[in-house]
């Protein structure tokens, strides 16, 4: 399958007449872009949702034009970066229908006619596959859209395609590389040649960062939205478990899985989050949402420049553990970020110590491992049972293992399945009572003696850390985190390869982020704090990729239905 087999394409653009400009329109940015019907429009590398919506409203371009532009941008870079695995063959048709609705005065909302990409473990009931990166699921079909996909369609978004990921969302190998899957190959980041994109929402991170769509959805169990956002100069929101439905999303752990947005700005991420939250009878964890579907918090309205005034923000220093000197540049950048928070009116409660974290370290994170390894085979079998077409007869993780060992496309000789050995061992020797005991222990040490205890005892609005140190406690607690660009590694940075030895974790110019952590269902407050920091720093505009698509929306005006999509090899 590996990447888009049947495409009917126009020749790719090479160089277009982009130039620096200032615009008379307040919604436009003085950045590289193109001329659209005589008006300068910002580059798709930087254009946000309000830019696109204004362009559509003013008639500068159509949603069909946006689909064509994003499709060409994908085709320009994907042979190198392998961020996108499938293009939706129906995207142009959907765009045309949404354009017609706009002409008739029917607008579904801010996302009307806006192309969005989905991680390739979020199911859609259309011509695209939902593979989790494995050939075991190629050709499988679901009875309907996943709830988050259905909500996007209802909001008027165009599902442009699927993004690559670490196969089975990093739940297969011990010798894995982030962003590698059998169906999609090896994703690379765009900020340095052979950059490790982080994972498992690797393709969503790379695609969103380069403007291959407005934004993407990712999924997280333990770091899989936050870390690719950190590495790809993005805003990533890891929502509270239960805020967004996981129905028909290939699972790992019902206790930790969540679906969230990965976007270039806090406000865009807030728009996307607003569209996908809410209770779902197919996912009983959403029954814990403390608001009704018609009273969703105003996540976009929370984007307030002055949100940091009076905020109390904690710094849990014992979670900052620099295990390699190459990461040292994170520390002065973090201190600068704290100074910015103070100058914006926040009170910093520094040098907090979370004793529960130290206990979890001594236990070598075994509590979480037991919870995840007992959830995974059971939750995966439940997903398989819902398939309406199951060409390889997958019913269990054992079936997946047999398929992976027998199908040479899965590259078992170079990408092992040792993670599953651990899963089989734990799940076969752990009773439900033991698993629950480990889960409650996690909640105690990570929560009362960790994040939640500190938030309560110090009356904090949030805690902050460099993003790479932020993922563990919120993962097991199911609590929200927002990562925002904070800085980049200096030109003389000491380079560091990943454990597999094929990509760079640290290199000159690679971005990194700042994470805001809060209480469960506290996304609204975190969005405000993150937005206020983002608007004062504008780090994303200062950290630029080495590889950028050249196609802009002005280059495709008038092409109409000429650029198509599909799945398979490029």
């Amino acid at each position: 399958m590996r990447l888009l087999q049947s495409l009917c394409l126009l020749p790719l653009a090479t160089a277009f007449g982009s130039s620096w400009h200032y615009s008379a329109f307040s919604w436009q940015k003085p950045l590289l872009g193109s001329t659209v019907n005589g008006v300068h429009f910002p580059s798709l590398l930087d254009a946000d949702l309000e830019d696109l919506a204004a362009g559509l409203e003013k008639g500068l371009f159509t949603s069909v034009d946006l689909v064509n532009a994003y499709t060409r941008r994908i085709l320009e870079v994907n042979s190198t970066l392998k961020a996108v695995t499938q293009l939706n063959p129906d995207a142009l048709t959907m765009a045309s229908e949404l354009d017609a609705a706009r002409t008739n005065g029917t607008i579904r909302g801010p996302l009307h006619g806006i192309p969005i990409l989905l991680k390739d473990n979020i199911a859609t009931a259309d011509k695209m596959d939902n593979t989790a990166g494995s050939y075991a699921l190629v050709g499988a079909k679901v009875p309907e859209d996943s709830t988050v996909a259905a909500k996007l369609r209802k909001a008027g978004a165009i599902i442009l395609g699927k993004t690559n990921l670490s196969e089975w969302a990093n739940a297969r190998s011990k010798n894995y590389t982030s962003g590698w899957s059998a169906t999609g190959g090896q994703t690379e980041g765009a900020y340095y040649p052979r950059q490790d994109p982080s994972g498992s929402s690797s393709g969503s991170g790379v695609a969103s960062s380069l403007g291959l769509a407005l934004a993407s959805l990712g999924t997280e169990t333990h770091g899989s939205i936050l870390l690719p956002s950190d590495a790809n100069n993005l805003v990533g929101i890891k929502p509270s478990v239960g805020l967004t439905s996981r129905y028909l999303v290939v699972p790992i752990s019902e206790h930790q899985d969540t679906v969230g947005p990965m976007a270039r700005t806090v406000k865009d991420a807030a728009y996307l989050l607003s569209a996908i939250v809410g209770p779902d009878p197919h996912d009983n964890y959403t029954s814990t949402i403390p608001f009704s579907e018609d009273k969703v918090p105003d996540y976009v309205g929370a984007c307030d420049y002055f949100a940091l005034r009076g905020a109390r923000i904690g710094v849990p220093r014992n979670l900052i553990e620099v295990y390699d000197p190459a990461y040292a540049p994170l520390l002065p950048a973090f201190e600068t970020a704290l100074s910015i928070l103070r100058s914006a009116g926040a009170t910093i409660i520094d040098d907090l110590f979370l004793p529960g974290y130290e206990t979890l370290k001594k236990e070598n994170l075994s509590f979480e491992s037991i919870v995840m390894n007992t959830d995974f085979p059971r939750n995966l079998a439940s997903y398989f049972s819902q398939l309406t077409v199951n060409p390889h007869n997958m019913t269990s993780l054992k079936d997946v293992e047999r398929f992976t060992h027998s199908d040479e496309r899965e590259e078992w000789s170079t990408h092992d399945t040792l993670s599953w050995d651990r899963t089989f061992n734990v799940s076969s020797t752990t009773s439900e009572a033991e698993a629950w005991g480990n889960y409650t222990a996690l909640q105690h040490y990570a929560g009362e003696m960790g994040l939640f205890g500190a938030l309560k005892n110090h009356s904090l609005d949030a805690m902050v850390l460099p993003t790479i140190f932020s993922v563990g406690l919120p993962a097991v607690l199911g609590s929200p985190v927002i990562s925002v660009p904070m800085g980049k590694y200096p030109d003389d940075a000491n380079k560091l390869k990943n454990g597999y030895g094929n990509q760079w974790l640290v290199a000159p110019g690679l971005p990194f982020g700042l994470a805001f952590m809060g209480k469960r269902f506290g996304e609204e407050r975190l969005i405000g704090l993150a937005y206020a920091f983002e608007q004062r720093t504008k780090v994303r505009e200062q950290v630029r990729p080495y590889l950028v698509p050249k196609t802009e929306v002005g280059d495709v005006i008038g092409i109409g239905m000429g650029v198509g999509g599909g799945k398979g090899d490029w």
Side-chain angles (χ1 to χ4, degrees), residues 46 99 102 118 165 186 189 225 234 271 288 302 379 398 405 407 409 438 443 461 475 515-516 522 554 559 568:
D46 299 292
D99 283 335
R102 182 182 294 277
L118 305 184
L165 71 163
Q186 178 64 63
I225 290 173
L234 287 177
Y271 274 116
T288 63
N379 294 164
K398 274 291 185 184
H405 290 180
D407 191 308
R409 296 171 298 178
N438 278 271
Q443 301 311 295
D461 294 278
F516 293 80
I559 288 178

Side-chain angles (χ1 to χ4, degrees), residues 513-533:
L514 175 70
F516 293 80
M517 303 170 287
K519 64 181 182 179
R520 294 197 73 223
F521 301 111
E523 284 81 358
E524 185 177 16
R525 183 61 169 144
L526 295 185
I527 285 170
L529 301 175
Y531 179 83
F533 175 80

Side-chain angles (χ1 to χ4, degrees), residues 40-300:
H40 283 296
F41 189 79
S43 169
L44 294 177
L45 181 69
D46 299 292
D48 59 28
L49 175 59
E50 292 176 358
D51 293 328
L52 297 182
L56 290 167
E57 182 181 345
K58 293 173 184 292
L60 295 183
F61 48 80
T62 66
S63 293
V64 166
D65 295 327
L66 286 179
V67 169
N68 284 330
Y70 284 129
T71 298
R72 280 194 170 191
R73 289 172 72 84
I74 291 168
L75 295 170
E76 283 186 65
V77 300
N78 212 58
S79 61
T80 298
L81 302 180
K82 295 181 174 60
V84 179
T85 56
Q86 301 173 69
L87 288 173
N88 187 352
D90 297 323
L92 283 170
T93 299
M94 292 188 296
S96 180
E97 292 171 353
L98 290 162
D99 283 335
R102 182 182 294 277
T103 300
N104 292 333
T106 302
I107 307 295
R108 299 187 189 179
L111 291 174
H112 186 103
I114 302 296
I116 302 293
L117 289 162
L118 305 184
K119 185 176 179 179
D120 195 5
N121 63 349
I122 301 172
T124 51
D126 53 22
K127 296 171 185 174
M128 293 188 291
D129 287 329
N130 190 48
T131 71
S134 171
Y135 283 99
L137 287 179
V138 171
K141 296 298 178 185
V142 291
E144 57 186 330
D145 279 337
S146 60
T147 299
V148 290
K151 283 178 174 286
L152 284 178
R153 294 192 203 271
K154 183 179 179 181
I158 299 164
I159 298 176
L160 182 62
K162 296 289 190 75
T163 59
N164 203 7
L165 71 163
S166 309
E167 188 168 330
W168 298 106
N170 272 356
R172 166 182 160 170
S173 303
K174 292 295 186 183
N175 66 338
Y176 71 90
T177 55
S178 290
W180 179 87
S181 70
T183 59
Q186 178 64 63
T187 304
E188 294 187 8
Y191 288 85
Y192 196 84
R194 294 177 61 207
Q195 177 198 349
D196 188 311
S198 195
S200 64
S201 303
S202 312
S204 292
V206 174
S208 296
S209 185
L210 287 182
L212 306 187
L214 171 75
S216 303
L217 290 188
T219 67
E220 173 150 337
T221 307
H222 188 121
S224 290
I225 290 173
L226 295 173
L227 296 180
S229 297
D230 172 77
N232 291 286
N233 204 23
L234 287 177
V235 174
I237 301 181
K238 179 247 173 189
S240 304
V241 171
L243 184 66
T244 56
S245 171
R246 290 86 50 88
Y247 175 59
L248 293 180
V249 176
V250 180
I252 294 177
S253 169
E254 65 184 75
H255 291 97
Q256 295 185 203
D257 292 348
T258 189
V259 182
M262 302 170 71
R264 293 185 295 280
T265 70
V266 173
K267 187 174 281 189
D268 282 358
Y271 274 116
L272 201 54
L273 182 66
S274 299
I276 62 173
V277 303
D280 176 15
H282 297 294
D283 183 348
N284 64 349
Y285 282 71
T286 64
S287 65
T288 63
I289 295 175
F291 51 82
S292 60
E293 194 162 13
D294 61 345
K295 293 184 179 179
V296 174
D298 186 358
Y299 298 125
V300 177

